[in-house]
Amino acid sequence: MNRRFEALDAFRGICAISVVIFHMHLVNSITELNFFRGSSVFVEFFFILSGFVLVHSYGEKKNINFKSFMKARFFRIYPLHLLMLTIFIVLESSKLLAYKFGGISFNNPPFTNDTAFGELLPNLLLIHSWTPFTDPLSFNYPSWSISIEFYIYALLFSTIVFFKTNKAIAWFCISAIAFSMIYLRSDLLVESVLKGLSCFFGGAVTYLLFKKVSYFKLSSVIGTSIEFLLIILIVIIVSVNFKYKSLIAPFLFLITVFFFAFEAGLISQLLRMKLFQTTGKLSYSIYMTHAAILFCLTSLGIILQKSTTKNIAPMIDSQRYLDFGGSSINNIIILITLTLIIYISNLTYNAVEVKGLALNRK
């Protein structure tokens, strides 16, 4: 099935930007809306989309080679990961210099807690989310999900090769068992790993279901109605905190991916516009670069607070916030920051991601 799933590509960009705003904290701004305060759950959407798209690309391939498969995944993931890890080491070194020679103290002392030297090797090997002995949010904290996904790729390869005609059963079992373990609060595996396994292989099963009925054509009216309903449900589920949100939200995302794959409604057509396609293309760079940019913004706020005595970077409920002078200016700062993140992501996409893929082809 030769399809691009452009509407699903656009969801990557929307989810990435929502996660960026989730990680921002500006007083009396859009960052404090319930929807963005709950947007961390969109990382599960990333896992689902990855499972769906990779099974579309590799699920039916014959004589698939482990070396070429993982090499392709390595050059897709690692170049930008290594760049951002290096940048965070430079930022921590800058914190150390500012602390020693300028007396400026940031949230934590340099190279301690989530940026301790002991976290470097696990980050380098992308295993920091797989054990209870490492900090999944160390250094470039968005990489916690990349850590999980990279090794899930190897598990996907194994199921394709060893289960062959029964791989659908294997994917369903992995997803169902992982969801059950989350529900039962099992500590046999780290919870973030269970989220990755349940959602990724849930996405794989969703692709197989879609493939079986992909010949069916939804009318524009029915497609638009379903898509509109799903968007409304996503907004509600993401915005509200309740006991089983971590289980219900992924199921809603699975249904959303299934129906938007048909690209039958007006919302799907809207998502195929250049703006959404561009953010989808840049989604990995947006996701991986934003933490460093937000770190610089927060650091600027702390420096300005110390030099002006104005309460620009207050601590509220143990969380560092920024306040540049009221709701309007804070929202403008958010817009400027998002524009900067997208601009830098365009640079890293072309200079790092594209060249990494070229290295794989060589």
Side-chain angles (χ1 to χ4, degrees):
M1 187 189 298
N2 186 22
R3 296 187 61 164
R4 284 187 58 196
F5 300 112
E6 291 176 313
L8 297 184
D9 284 342
F11 268 114
R12 290 183 185 276
I14 294 169
C15 291
I17 290 173
S18 297
V19 171
V20 171
I21 299 176
F22 166 76
H23 286 137
M24 301 174 77
H25 295 276
L26 281 86
V27 175
N28 295 327
S29 71
I30 63 167
T31 67
E32 303 314 295
L33 294 176
N34 289 338
F35 176 79
F36 291 117
R37 294 278 44 87
S39 289
S40 61
V41 75
F42 280 127
V43 178
E44 278 93 313
F45 212 139
F46 282 130
F47 286 131
I48 290 168
L49 286 171
S50 292
F52 186 96
V53 172
L54 275 181
V55 169
H56 169 66
S57 299
Y58 292 98
E60 298 301 324
K61 278 194 173 182
K62 306 297 182 183
N63 301 319
I64 185 172
N65 178 271
F66 180 76
K67 181 180 178 181
S68 61
F69 176 81
M70 289 306 296
K71 183 166 162 275
R73 309 275 46 89
F74 177 89
F75 281 108
R76 177 71 182 91
I77 293 293
Y78 251 91
L80 188 55
H81 167 62
L82 291 177
L83 173 65
M84 296 314 302
L85 180 58
T86 301
I87 287 174
F88 265 86
I89 293 171
V90 171
L91 290 173
E92 282 300 300
S93 301
S94 301
K95 279 174 61 177
L96 182 61
L97 293 174
Y99 179 74
K100 283 187 172 294
F101 299 106
I104 300 175
S105 177
F106 296 89
N107 288 344
N108 295 309
F111 293 108
T112 62
N113 300 327
D114 56 350
T115 55
F117 285 109
E119 299 293 342
L120 276 173
L121 184 59
N123 271 267
L124 186 63
L125 299 176
L126 274 179
I127 61 172
H128 53 294
S129 293
W130 283 88
T131 81
F133 312 108
T134 50
D135 187 345
L137 302 180
S138 51
F139 288 97
N140 188 25
Y141 50 83
S143 68
W144 74 265
S145 62
I146 308 304
S147 163
I148 292 169
E149 194 163 313
F150 183 72
Y151 291 99
I152 285 180
Y153 294 151
L155 180 57
L156 174 66
F157 173 87
S158 300
T159 58
I160 292 172
V161 171
F162 294 113
F163 288 93
K164 295 181 180 177
T165 57
N166 295 317
K167 54 183 176 285
I169 297 174
W171 295 341
F172 177 81
C173 289
I174 293 171
S175 181
I177 291 170
F179 270 122
S180 300
M181 291 173 71
I182 293 173
Y183 176 77
L184 297 172
R185 300 186 182 278
S186 170
D187 57 1
L188 189 61
L189 287 173
V190 178
E191 184 179 3
S192 54
V193 173
L194 293 175
K195 286 181 179 180
L197 290 170
S198 60
C199 293
F200 184 94
F201 286 101
V205 173
T206 299
Y207 174 77
L208 295 181
L209 292 174
F210 169 76
K211 186 182 176 184
K212 286 186 176 296
V213 298
S214 59
Y215 64 89
F216 188 76
K217 303 298 181 183
L218 295 174
S219 70
S220 177
V221 173
I222 293 175
T224 300
S225 300
I226 293 173
E227 289 175 0
F228 186 77
L229 175 61
L230 288 170
I231 295 298
I232 294 297
L233 288 174
I234 286 175
V235 171
I236 293 172
I237 293 296
V238 172
S239 300
V240 178
N241 284 322
F242 55 96
K243 186 175 181 180
Y244 295 112
K245 179 176 179 177
S246 62
L247 290 173
I248 293 176
F251 279 109
L252 177 59
F253 295 158
L254 288 167
I255 296 170
T256 300
V257 168
F258 176 82
F259 279 104
F260 271 87
F262 286 96
E263 298 184 331
L266 293 179
I267 298 178
S268 286
Q269 301 311 307
L270 178 67
L271 293 176
R272 295 174 73 177
M273 292 173 58
K274 184 176 180 180
L275 173 65
F276 293 109
Q277 290 301 299
T278 299
T279 54
K281 180 182 71 174
L282 301 179
S283 60
Y284 180 54
S285 277
I286 291 171
Y287 184 69
M288 290 294 284
T289 63
H290 79 270
I293 298 168
L294 296 185
F295 172 87
C296 293
L297 178 65
T298 302
S299 300
L300 175 62
I302 293 172
I303 292 170
L304 289 174
Q305 178 170 276
K306 289 183 178 295
S307 59
T308 64
T309 69
K310 292 183 179 179
N311 199 20
I312 296 174
M315 292 294 293
I316 302 175
D317 296 330
S318 301
Q319 174 65 54
R320 178 74 69 180
Y321 276 73
L322 294 174
D323 186 0
F324 291 97
S327 176
S328 297
I329 187 66
N330 286 343
N331 282 315
I332 291 172
I333 293 295
I334 292 168
L335 180 60
I336 293 172
T337 304
L338 287 174
T339 303
L340 178 63
I341 289 170
I342 292 171
Y343 174 76
I344 291 176
S345 296
N346 186 58
L347 296 179
T348 57
Y349 173 79
N350 288 295
V352 182
E353 289 190 62
V354 172
K355 289 186 177 179
L357 295 173
L359 284 173
N360 173 56
R361 288 192 291 272
K362 289 181 181 179

